[in-house]
Amino acid sequence: MAETVDISVDFAGIQLANPVFTASGTCGYADELADFTDINSLGGFITKSITLKPRKGLPTPRIIETDSGMLNAIGLANIGLERFIAEKLPIIEKLSAPVFVNIAGESIEEYVAVAEKLAEQKAIAGLELNISCPNVKAGGIMFGTDPKQVENVTTAVKKVSGSKVLMVKLTPSVTDISVTARAAVNGGAGALSLVNTFTAMVVDIDTRRPVLANRTGGLSGPAIRPVAVYLVNKVYNEVGKEAGVPVLGVGGVRTASDAIEFLIAGATAVAVGTGNFIEPGCALEIVEGIKKYCKRHKIASITELIGSLK
Ligand SMILES: Cc1cc2nc3c(=O)[nH]c(=O)nc-3n(C[C@H](O)[C@H](O)[C@H](O)COP(=O)(O)O)c2cc1C
């Protein structure tokens, strides 16, 4: 058994100590998770979506558990750019793990305004462009399902993002995800993250009404994992590999074996979302599990695993 294993990865030029991030919207802005886990031992941290102005989000109920997953219709509730910079950035500045700030908007101008301000902040390693939220009327998934819009918003944000890595987060709710992935790469995306949640509904059979106040929500958790693994593999093979653009695998990762599936399928790293609600420390357990797997399989460097699907 190899004594030491190297599980560090190069992610669009950022050196990650390991390939495990936390996913946007499931761990706040970092301080919320600090009581449960050592954020600096993660490969990286991704914040909740930030918009130009604060957003209250959608009415409740906005979360419901389902078989092997959950539906959420939070509606991008967040504190807004100004408070983020004043209150959360000082916390992020103290972290050694790379931090991506996830940004959302209702127009290209809003995405650009938020990105421009964040690009000035030294403590931020990258930006994740959320063009895939299924729970907002304006912006969100409307950008992410139209390849032309994907390219336009990516190009516009890329122009103002300076040296920050620009990662574009794709929706699975399209006929061919490689088309939107390619559009993001054409616009200058340095990384792709997939997937965001799947639009879904739960019905209360007594009231015959949808359970969520928004009627629909986004499905996440173990239920979506096999679909996410398939989509990551497709985007890796058809777009990412040739373009040299790394893929972040997101969707139902809760254990080391889940993460390893994504890496074999072509993801350079993974992000843990809903898994944090079940076990807030699971991301670090995944890191340890990946090390054990590599030792057991005599893999000296995790990079041997990435895209190794036979
Ligand atoms: C409660 C909740 C809130 C979320 N908020 C955001 C968000 O603000 N921005 C975003 O890009 N994705 C958001 N997501 C999507 C996750 O980052 C992730 O893409 C999705 O949940 C699939 O991963 P999972 O199955 O590991 O949760 C949210 C997911 C959940 C469950």
Side-chain angles (χ1 to χ4, degrees), residues 7 27 34 40 55 88 166 195 208 214 219 307:
I7 62 161
C27 300
N40 286 332
R55 288 176 66 109
K88 303 297 179 180
L166 179 59
V195 290
R208 300 192 203 175
N214 186 52
L219 179 65

Side-chain angles (χ1 to χ4, degrees), residues 90-118:
I91 299 161
I92 290 172
E93 276 164 357
K94 293 196 190 106
L95 295 175
S96 59
V99 174
F100 276 70
V101 178
N102 181 300
I103 60 182
E106 294 188 355
S107 63
I108 292 188
E109 291 72 27
E110 184 178 355
Y111 279 103
V112 168
V114 178
E116 202 164 21
K117 196 80 197 151
L118 293 174

Side-chain angles (χ1 to χ4, degrees), residues 22-26 46-50 62-63 70-78 102-104 128-135 169-170 193-198 218-225 228 249-254 271-277:
T22 50
S24 177
T26 60
I46 306 177
T47 71
K48 170 77 188 163
S49 281
I50 290 290
R62 49 190 193 180
I63 278 186
M70 65 182 280
L71 243 66
N72 90 81
I74 306 290
L76 299 179
N78 78 91
N102 181 300
I103 60 182
E128 184 180 47
L129 211 56
N130 178 5
I131 51 166
S132 42
C133 179
N135 302 320
K169 186 164 184 179
L170 302 175
S193 52
L194 52 142
V195 290
N196 209 319
T197 54
F198 292 71
L219 179 65
S220 63
I224 70 169
R225 194 179 60 250
V250 198
V253 176
R254 203 158 73 86
V272 182
T274 303
N276 294 305
F277 298 137

Side-chain angles (χ1 to χ4, degrees), residues 100-301:
F100 276 70
V101 178
N102 181 300
I103 60 182
E106 294 188 355
S107 63
I108 292 188
E109 291 72 27
E110 184 178 355
Y111 279 103
V112 168
V114 178
E116 202 164 21
K117 196 80 197 151
L118 293 174
E120 296 166 6
Q121 315 300 330
K122 276 207 187 73
I124 297 170
L127 305 173
E128 184 180 47
L129 211 56
N130 178 5
I131 51 166
S132 42
C133 179
N135 302 320
V136 286
K137 283 202 180 69
I141 205 166
M142 278 162 54
F143 279 105
T145 49
D146 176 351
K148 197 73 221 143
Q149 285 284 52
V150 172
E151 187 170 338
N152 288 346
V153 69
T154 309
T155 305
V157 171
K158 177 68 188 168
K159 274 195 193 130
V160 298
S161 46
S163 60
K164 308 296 180 203
V165 171
L166 179 59
M167 174 155 72
V168 176
K169 186 164 184 179
L170 302 175
T171 173
S173 302
V174 286
T175 314
D176 184 353
I177 198 164
S178 291
V179 174
T180 44
R182 207 168 287 116
V185 170
N186 289 343
L192 298 167
S193 52
L194 52 142
V195 290
N196 209 319
T197 54
F198 292 71
T199 305
M201 184 188 272
V202 173
V203 174
D204 179 329
I205 59 165
D206 292 322
T207 62
R208 300 192 203 175
R209 288 177 188 281
V211 171
L212 296 180
N214 186 52
R215 302 182 74 84
T216 58
L219 179 65
S220 63
I224 70 169
R225 194 179 60 250
V227 194
V229 169
Y230 160 67
L231 294 173
V232 162
N233 183 242
K234 181 172 164 62
V235 167
Y236 171 72
N237 282 332
E238 297 177 8
V239 183
K241 192 162 46 171
E242 201 186 317
V245 170
V247 175
L248 180 70
V250 198
V253 176
R254 203 158 73 86
T255 66
S257 76
D258 301 339
I260 290 161
E261 263 194 73
F262 274 100
L263 298 177
I264 293 171
T268 299
V270 297
V272 182
T274 303
N276 294 305
F277 298 137
I278 300 158
E279 166 55 57
C282 76
L284 291 187
E285 285 170 21
I286 291 171
V287 173
E288 289 312 307
I290 292 174
K291 280 186 200 155
K292 281 189 191 143
Y293 171 90
C294 288
K295 282 188 183 166
R296 204 167 60 243
H297 289 268
K298 299 191 169 43
I299 294 168
S301 164

